[in-house]
Amino acid sequence: DGRALGLTAPRPAGQRAALTRAYRNAGVSPADVGLIEAHGTGTVVGDRTELATLTEVFTEAGAEPASCAIGSVKSQIGHTKCAAGLAGLIKTTLALHHGVKPPTLHVRQPNAAWDGGSSPFVFHTAARPWATEPAERIAGVSAFGFGGTNFHVVLRAYDQPPPRHSLDTWPVELFTFRGRDAEAARRSARALLELLQRGGQWRLRDYARHTARRSDQAAGRGESVRIALVADSLAGLAELLRRAAEGEQDPKAGLYAADDTTEPARSGGSVAGELAFLFPGQGSQRPGMLAELFVAFPELQRHLQLGAQWADTLYPPAAFDEEGKAGQLARITDTAVAQPALGVVELAAAELLASLGVRPAMAAGHSYGELVALGVAGALAPQDVLTASAARAEAILAQVEGGDPGTMAAVSATAEQVEEVLRTSGLAEAVVAANRNAPEQTVISGPTEPMATAVARLRDAGFAAKPLQVACAFHSPLLAGAGDAFAESLAGMTVHAPDFDVWSNRTADPYPADPEAVRAGLAAQIGAPVRFTEQIEAMYAAGARVFAEVGPGRVLSRLVSAVLGDRPHRTVPLDGGRGAGLTGFLSALAQLAVSGVDVRTGRLFQGRDAVDPETAVAERTAGWTVDGQLVRRADGTIPPDALHPARPVTELIVPENYASHGAAASGPDALVAEFLRTSRDLVAAQRDVMLSYLGGPVAVPAGRPLGRPLSQPLAYASASVAAPVPAALP
């Protein structure tokens, strides 16, 4: 293709030919491709040409708008020249294997050739899970070289079980230390510090694996976690270990210690120190929630595949303006999407905790979250939880379709105070205290006009009342009919008795073991008030002391603390605590571990590139290295019989009017002379431009008169050039 425009000029026809041949030979339609690894050099003309050609080919094949992620590894590692295509191929193969759509860094505004409303392509600025079955993951990789040597390869993922992990290096690592008492755990911390101080080529995750092995062995002896650390570097680990050995604790720094009076949390019975799972409901959802966990632990993606119809809304591409961000938030706030999307991430989070030995003695959910709690307790299969989630949302929206959907408002008052104002205002029949969230937080719900009056009356009574942006009047008599429709959907699903107690919003008591009673309770809950305060009090009375918020945000953690006040308890949000993503998750595990929960951390290292420094054999340092075309010893010196780097020498350059033996140059000699002359002019021009830009004097080479335009030929008598030095003879 370079014959048309030049060696480096992109030619759409050549790129199109490479694309169409590749997809024809692969027997794949571009419309089925989910990821494109573009050549993407970042040049204005090159990127515009490549994006326009890809858009044309994919659109003609019937690709839907926003159906394919596009990016380039060059944004992360730069242009590797002749290895650029190989780098893109490696990246794409790993993306297919792990089920991840990789990010393209530094994208603030896409190329002008991209039309966000119609283009088949979207951009990701952070890694996102690829929510399709492995056999359905298809990607294309482009590599365009000098002269129009255009290549495109089509790849499909191999249909196999997902890997345990997709990342070897994590932003932080978790360290847990067990013992019969606090001093025994401190001795373990000192032992790791001594191992760390021996030095070596070991990484943070290697020391974490060593600690996990010893901790899990101690768990088999019945020892509890007394100290837990979350470190982000070897230096940070050493400092935390020193502080831990001295008996300190500093949760903000990632240093957690158990209270010696804390009793171990167990999986059954009602004793002090029980672990309770809490599942947040509608209102906690947001685009991208818990994405980093789905990326780091590919096994969780089976839940995304069960809920594939909501995955694109759950993990949308990058938005480049406020309007785009607002649109993404609005789509996931829609009741029809928010409830099943929450179900996907909460089921996955509970499964991840269970794989690490974290299982609750009891559970509850707020509003919609109650359905997920029953699913985690085994009353419903994961697929049925998502099916029921969609049916629940549909029943609610159908109930208010074509009429007044109603609204809700948050009031800073007790439920009794709110109900008294409603009663004296004659509004008690229309407006109800729908969510009794905390002693000083009550949410009212009802038809729009009576709600406006209720808010005014409550403010007149001296209470703060804030209208909420909601789809309808949840948990009010307006939705009473939705329960009947939801009951019909539940009738066709298999329901079992819960494996552990799941506490009901409606009754503030555990669900009965009878499957029919479970169905009836779920249906009735839609139109009944959420008695969250009474529910938490009842769970506390039943022995719950550790409340883990299994889902996005930390709304329920704050409410629990507001309900229980100064009474002994611990709230542990998986997301939104000490950081988000992996950092937040590992910090939550640390808190659970020192709260008496039997966290087993060995699973965190299965399938990761991590070794135990105590037993592993250190790799021998390489005796020599290859640096480009040069071979060097480990100390950086070059063997005497090896090629040495070029060094400057003074050598005559062919003059501008060079002629052999006085005759005019012709044929090959003339071509060589012309090449040398034009190369000399190019280097001189670049030198002058750089010196001028840097403010230095512009040197005028010998033979070049002052004021002569750069476009005119230059004559040099000599120049400094780099020439290789022959290796020394033996």
Side-chain angles (χ1 to χ4, degrees):
D1 298 332
R3 288 178 177 273
L5 300 173
L7 281 176
T8 60
R11 185 166 177 252
Q15 295 182 10
R16 180 185 178 90
L19 291 167
T20 54
R21 280 196 300 264
Y23 289 106
R24 182 176 63 249
N25 293 341
V28 170
S29 169
D32 297 327
V33 175
L35 175 66
I36 285 290
E37 172 64 16
H39 185 59
T41 56
T43 62
V44 175
V45 176
D47 281 6
R48 182 176 65 235
T49 301
E50 183 176 9
L51 187 56
T53 304
L54 281 165
T55 301
E56 183 180 286
V57 171
F58 274 59
T59 301
E60 290 175 359
E64 296 290 331
S67 60
C68 180
I70 189 170
S72 175
V73 74
K74 292 179 179 66
S75 72
Q76 296 157 315
I77 64 172
H79 199 325
T80 54
K81 304 300 181 182
C82 59
L86 183 59
L89 182 64
I90 293 171
K91 167 194 167 182
T92 307
T93 303
L94 290 172
L96 290 166
H97 177 61
H98 292 131
V100 174
K101 292 185 177 180
T104 295
L105 305 185
H106 317 302
V107 179
R108 297 181 181 86
Q109 185 62 42
N111 191 284
W114 178 73
D115 181 355
S118 61
S119 174
F121 302 108
V122 294
F123 302 88
H124 286 283
T125 54
R128 289 292 181 260
W130 194 341
T132 57
E133 298 285 348
E136 298 174 5
R137 297 177 196 147
I138 302 175
V141 183
S142 289
F144 302 149
F146 280 169
T149 51
N150 299 325
F151 291 86
H152 189 80
V153 62
V154 183
L155 306 174
R156 186 193 296 270
Y158 183 65
D159 192 4
Q160 62 182 354
R164 287 291 185 93
H165 297 91
S166 66
L167 303 170
D168 287 328
T169 302
W170 288 359
V172 296
E173 295 289 350
L174 172 64
F175 301 79
T176 58
F177 302 92
R178 295 176 182 261
R180 296 290 181 185
D181 52 33
E183 181 54 35
R186 287 195 285 269
R187 285 196 298 269
S188 295
R190 293 188 196 102
L192 180 61
L193 180 59
E194 292 174 2
L195 180 62
L196 180 62
Q197 290 172 338
R198 294 178 199 168
Q201 59 186 13
W202 313 116
R203 303 153 299 188
L204 184 66
R205 62 180 180 269
D206 296 329
Y207 292 104
R209 177 174 178 172
H210 166 79
T211 306
R213 179 180 62 83
R214 294 175 63 89
S215 180
D216 286 355
Q217 289 174 346
R221 300 191 295 268
E223 298 176 9
S224 300
V225 174
R226 307 286 178 174
I227 300 170
L229 313 177
V230 179
D232 61 2
S233 65
L234 291 176
L237 173 61
E239 176 61 22
L240 289 174
L241 288 171
R242 280 190 287 269
R243 297 179 65 185
E246 294 172 1
E248 295 184 33
Q249 60 175 311
D250 185 357
K252 291 184 178 179
L255 173 55
Y256 304 89
D259 182 348
D260 287 340
T261 63
T262 300
E263 296 186 30
R266 293 187 282 274
S267 58
S270 297
V271 297
E274 295 283 17
L275 171 65
F277 277 4
L278 299 178
F279 296 90
Q282 192 169 345
S284 292
Q285 76 283 344
R286 68 176 189 275
M289 52 186 172
L290 305 190
E292 194 171 334
L293 297 185
F294 281 96
V295 170
F297 301 97
E299 289 177 325
L300 300 181
Q301 293 177 14
R302 72 182 188 91
H303 294 286
L304 270 179
Q305 291 158 12
L306 291 176
Q309 66 192 94
W310 304 288
D312 289 342
T313 305
L314 178 54
Y315 298 117
F320 298 101
D321 53 37
E322 292 304 318
E323 182 181 357
K325 294 175 183 178
Q328 292 179 354
L329 183 60
R331 284 188 287 275
I332 202 168
T333 303
D334 181 357
T335 299
V337 175
Q339 296 192 6
L342 283 167
V344 168
V345 300
E346 291 174 8
L347 288 171
E351 179 181 297
L352 180 58
L353 288 171
S355 71
L356 298 166
V358 181
R359 296 178 176 84
M362 62 188 80
H366 189 282
S367 186
Y368 162 76
E370 191 168 291
L371 175 59
V372 183
L374 285 164
V376 172
L380 291 161
Q383 181 63 75
D384 286 341
V385 170
L386 300 184
T387 302
S389 300
R392 186 180 189 273
E394 182 181 354
I396 290 172
L397 295 175
Q399 186 66 24
V400 297
E401 185 178 7
D404 176 20
T407 188
M408 304 177 79
V411 185
S412 298
T414 66
E416 292 74 19
Q417 291 170 327
V418 169
E419 289 173 340
E420 177 63 24
V421 172
L422 295 176
R423 187 165 44 252
T424 58
S425 302
L427 298 169
E429 295 297 323
V431 179
V432 297
N435 293 354
R436 305 178 184 201
N437 289 334
E440 296 294 329
Q441 186 190 117
T442 304
V443 176
I444 58 174
S445 181
T448 303
E449 288 189 11
M451 278 290 296
T453 304
V455 168
R457 296 291 182 270
L458 286 162
R459 288 173 175 171
D460 291 342
F463 302 115
K466 178 183 178 182
L468 302 176
Q469 297 296 321
V470 293
C472 60
F474 293 104
H475 297 286
S476 75
L478 277 179
L479 299 184
D484 296 334
F486 186 40
E488 293 179 8
S489 299
L490 291 172
M493 299 180 189
T494 301
V495 178
H496 303 280
D499 295 335
F500 47 79
D501 284 344
V502 176
W503 295 71
S504 166
N505 291 163
R506 184 174 62 91
T507 64
D509 287 320
Y511 266 84
D514 177 26
E516 286 303 320
V518 172
R519 289 190 181 92
L522 275 172
Q525 185 240 31
I526 291 181
V530 175
R531 298 164 59 185
F532 191 73
T533 299
E534 298 166 70
Q535 182 178 337
I536 295 301
E537 290 283 7
M539 295 173 74
Y540 192 84
R545 293 295 180 272
V546 183
F547 297 85
E549 187 167 358
V550 186
R554 53 184 311 170
V555 171
L556 300 188
S557 297
R558 294 192 184 100
L559 293 179
V560 168
S561 293
V563 171
L564 298 179
D566 295 334
R567 284 174 283 179
H569 73 283
R570 186 191 292 267
T571 59
V572 183
L574 296 193
D575 177 59
R578 183 176 175 263
L582 274 171
T583 300
F585 178 68
L586 295 181
S587 298
L589 288 179
Q591 294 177 69
L592 290 171
V594 298
S595 300
V597 179
D598 189 18
V599 179
R600 303 296 181 98
T601 55
R603 189 256 193 235
L604 297 175
F605 303 93
Q606 294 174 5
R608 287 176 69 195
D609 174 25
V611 298
D612 187 337
E614 192 173 55
T615 58
V617 177
E619 294 183 3
R620 185 174 63 88
T621 303
W624 52 272
T625 60
V626 177
D627 179 13
Q629 81 279 19
L630 304 176
V631 176
R632 299 178 184 270
R633 297 189 181 97
D635 61 3
T637 60
I638 300 175
D641 56 345
L643 181 66
H644 285 241
R647 63 180 178 84
V649 297
T650 300
E651 183 175 304
L652 289 177
I653 298 297
V654 178
E656 185 176 0
N657 298 318
Y658 169 77
S660 177
H661 305 294
S666 62
D669 288 343
L671 290 176
V672 171
E674 177 65 14
F675 171 77
L676 292 174
R677 183 187 65 77
T678 55
S679 297
R680 184 173 65 242
D681 290 353
L682 176 62
V683 172
Q686 291 176 338
R687 177 180 182 276
D688 288 355
V689 169
M690 289 302 298
L691 286 174
S692 177
Y693 175 78
L694 296 172
V698 178
V700 180
R704 173 178 163 187
L706 291 173
R708 187 176 189 178
L710 288 176
S711 59
Q712 295 184 15
L714 303 177
Y716 286 79
S718 65
S720 178
V721 299
V725 177
L729 296 175

